[in-house]
Amino acid sequence: MKKEGLLVVLSGPSGVGKGTICDHLLDKYSDLEYSISMTTRSPRAGEIHGEDYYFVSKSEFQEMIADDEFLEWAEVFGNYYGTPRKFVNSKLREGKSVVLEIDIQGALQVKQRCPNGVFIFLLPPSLDELHKRIRKRGTEQDKDMQTRLTAAKNEIKTVHQYDYAVVNNNIGDTADLIYSVIKAEKCSVSRVGQKLVKEVIDNE
Amino acid sequence: MKKEGLLVVLSGPSGVGKGTICDHLLDKYSDLEYSISMTTRSPRAGEIHGEDYYFVSKSEFQEMIADDEFLEWAEVFGNYYGTPRKFVNSKLREGKSVVLEIDIQGALQVKQRCPNGVFIFLLPPSLDELHKRIRKRGTEQDKDMQTRLTAAKNEIKTVHQYDYAVVNNNIGDTADLIYSVIKAEKCSVSRVGQKLVKEVIDNE
């Protein structure tokens, strides 16, 4: 029997390493897929429609909002970004698990529409370490840094809305731990119990 | 910070392979420990007190029952068998996870006393396969076999009282899957969320 995949939402404060962990996961485990976002911003050099993003017009995007076709969406500096349901659902039906790497606000939107997803919060080992990671990227001024750390602190307090909290100490271990969570969730009784009982007993 | 281990209860119908899976798990993962049962039956040749069982007298056992010192116990053909709380709790405090391999009735007793444990139900791929596995052991008459299969069918219907349902297709994969469940549970927000938030924020 074909098993449906899981929607795996990976979230956490900016700078914690969500993207790196996702890349590592997707490289290592072939039963996982990235969710591809849709945006109204223009493609940058080298970006491919349907790989990096789905690039659409504002009116198309707004129509899709009206039709409730997004798992989540947001407007950032005049551009829309969102996760179209359709792509995710078709992959799930194929038995792939879809990983959605997303900020806290987006994750909580997805949770309202897909309470069945697996919600994982990625934590830094400490705020100090998060500070270092953001500095290493070198994109922040000191003032912005304080704002980001305060934001991170508040975001971390939303962890109780997630199913799992994983400390990102080390890329390889963290990715493996997240994959363990996916494997475990696939045999949780609330997801598969009844179906399995039926299968075992009917296979007599 | 020292992390407390998990109580992992592995149950399922007789013949499904609980013992083999447990042995494999314990061999492979050094952070796991077996729970050692206590019994009033006499030691068999080669059995060692404190390794195979704790061998005690009936009056000692009954006193411990009166003091609610068992996670579960049962009387089988005039002998008592049980899981003493003390051993399990001291291992959990050391950070070891304790695996308890036990029949359905015992597992449900443990659940009443330790709702915090992780309850895993091991399923055969089919009742037919369970039949084959029991036959292979060659210990059952045909009449007893029917009784056992009917019992198994009824036991399988209790799966909704467990947290996870794992089909035992293959020893290595099943043991790894159970270890994934243990890893995942150790980062479930309901177990560690608040503690982790405190740690991350206090480590500033």
Side-chain angles (χ1 to χ4, degrees):
Chain A
M1 197 180 53
K2 190 84 195 162
K3 277 183 191 143
E4 198 161 282
L6 292 181
L7 174 63
V8 180
V9 178
L10 186 62
S11 192
S14 128
V16 74
K18 298 187 284 296
T20 317
I21 294 297
C22 267
D23 289 345
H24 197 88
L25 266 172
L26 278 276
D27 272 356
K28 191 161 172 190
Y29 300 107
S30 62
D31 56 335
L32 303 181
E33 288 260 352
Y34 250 129
S35 157
I36 299 167
S37 294
M38 190 169 275
T39 184
T40 60
R41 78 154 166 75
S42 311
R44 291 182 193 136
E47 282 185 340
I48 297 165
H49 178 80
E51 257 184 46
D52 299 292
Y53 281 98
Y54 295 110
F55 296 100
V56 295
S57 70
K58 259 192 191 169
S59 61
E60 281 176 278
F61 202 105
Q62 285 163 335
E63 207 170 296
M64 285 179 67
I65 294 175
D67 293 343
D68 195 24
E69 287 191 33
F70 289 105
L71 288 179
E72 57 79 37
W73 64 271
E75 200 186 339
V76 183
F77 300 126
N79 287 312
Y80 288 104
Y81 295 83
T83 304
R85 271 179 207 275
K86 222 174 180 174
F87 170 85
V88 170
N89 288 341
S90 78
K91 291 293 170 190
L92 295 179
R93 274 194 299 268
E94 283 172 28
K96 296 256 183 182
S97 290
V98 180
V99 182
L100 186 52
E101 175 219 326
I102 197 168
D103 65 12
I104 312 284
Q105 262 191 309
L108 298 179
Q109 272 192 56
V110 176
K111 203 182 168 191
Q112 290 191 329
R113 292 190 172 92
C114 282
N116 233 353
V118 182
F119 292 81
I120 303 173
F121 196 102
L122 205 57
L123 286 162
S126 66
L127 285 181
D128 199 42
E129 176 61 27
L130 185 66
H131 190 169
K132 277 184 207 147
R133 290 183 191 176
I134 299 171
R135 270 180 98 93
K136 234 174 154 178
R137 292 190 183 169
T139 52
E140 301 297 322
Q141 305 294 326
D142 275 357
K143 208 185 70 188
D144 294 340
M145 179 66 92
Q146 260 322 311
T147 314
R148 280 183 71 166
L149 287 177
T150 308
K153 214 163 153 173
N154 287 325
E155 287 177 339
I156 287 170
K157 290 175 185 163
T158 68
V159 76
H160 63 277
Q161 303 200 53
Y162 289 73
D163 303 311
Y164 297 91
V166 173
V167 177
N168 185 17
N169 281 308
N170 160 304
I171 299 168
D173 291 349
T174 302
D176 288 347
L177 183 47
I178 289 172
Y179 195 69
S180 290
V181 166
I182 297 171
K183 282 175 72 179
E185 279 285 334
K186 282 186 174 174
C187 59
S188 84
V189 161
S190 56
R191 289 186 194 279
V192 298
Q194 271 196 313
K195 204 164 60 182
L196 274 182
V197 169
K198 215 171 158 310
E199 267 178 62
V200 170
I201 293 184
D202 289 352
N203 277 353
E204 270 182 276
Chain B
M1 198 181 57
K2 191 83 194 159
K3 278 184 191 141
E4 197 162 281
L6 292 181
L7 174 63
V8 180
V9 178
L10 186 62
S11 192
S14 128
V16 74
K18 298 188 287 293
T20 317
I21 294 295
C22 268
D23 288 345
H24 196 89
L25 266 171
L26 278 277
D27 272 357
K28 189 160 174 190
Y29 300 107
S30 63
D31 57 334
L32 303 181
E33 289 260 351
Y34 250 128
S35 157
I36 299 167
S37 295
M38 189 169 277
T39 184
T40 60
R41 78 154 167 75
S42 312
R44 293 182 190 137
E47 282 186 337
I48 298 166
H49 178 81
E51 258 184 47
D52 299 292
Y53 282 96
Y54 296 111
F55 296 99
V56 297
S57 69
K58 260 190 191 169
S59 62
E60 281 175 279
F61 202 104
Q62 285 163 335
E63 207 170 295
M64 285 179 66
I65 293 174
D67 293 344
D68 195 24
E69 287 189 34
F70 289 104
L71 288 179
E72 56 79 38
W73 64 271
E75 200 185 339
V76 183
F77 299 126
N79 288 311
Y80 288 104
Y81 295 83
T83 305
R85 272 179 205 276
K86 223 175 181 171
F87 170 84
V88 170
N89 288 342
S90 78
K91 291 292 170 188
L92 295 180
R93 274 193 300 268
E94 282 172 29
K96 297 258 184 180
S97 290
V98 179
V99 181
L100 187 51
E101 175 221 326
I102 197 169
D103 65 12
I104 313 282
Q105 262 191 309
L108 299 179
Q109 272 192 57
V110 176
K111 203 182 168 190
Q112 292 191 328
R113 293 188 170 93
C114 282
N116 234 353
V118 182
F119 293 80
I120 304 173
F121 196 103
L122 204 58
L123 286 162
S126 65
L127 284 182
D128 198 42
E129 176 61 28
L130 185 66
H131 188 169
K132 277 185 207 146
R133 289 184 193 176
I134 299 171
R135 269 179 98 94
K136 231 172 156 182
R137 292 188 184 172
T139 51
E140 302 296 322
Q141 305 295 323
D142 277 355
K143 207 185 71 189
D144 295 339
M145 179 65 91
Q146 260 321 312
T147 314
R148 279 183 73 167
L149 288 178
T150 307
K153 215 163 152 174
N154 287 324
E155 286 176 341
I156 287 170
K157 291 177 184 162
T158 68
V159 76
H160 63 276
Q161 302 200 51
Y162 290 73
D163 302 310
Y164 297 92
V166 173
V167 177
N168 185 19
N169 280 309
N170 160 303
I171 298 167
D173 290 348
T174 302
D176 289 346
L177 182 49
I178 289 172
Y179 196 68
S180 289
V181 166
I182 297 172
K183 282 175 74 180
E185 279 285 334
K186 281 185 173 173
C187 59
S188 85
V189 161
S190 56
R191 289 185 193 279
V192 298
Q194 272 197 313
K195 205 165 58 181
L196 273 182
V197 169
K198 216 172 157 311
E199 267 178 62
V200 170
I201 293 183
D202 289 353
N203 276 354
E204 270 183 280

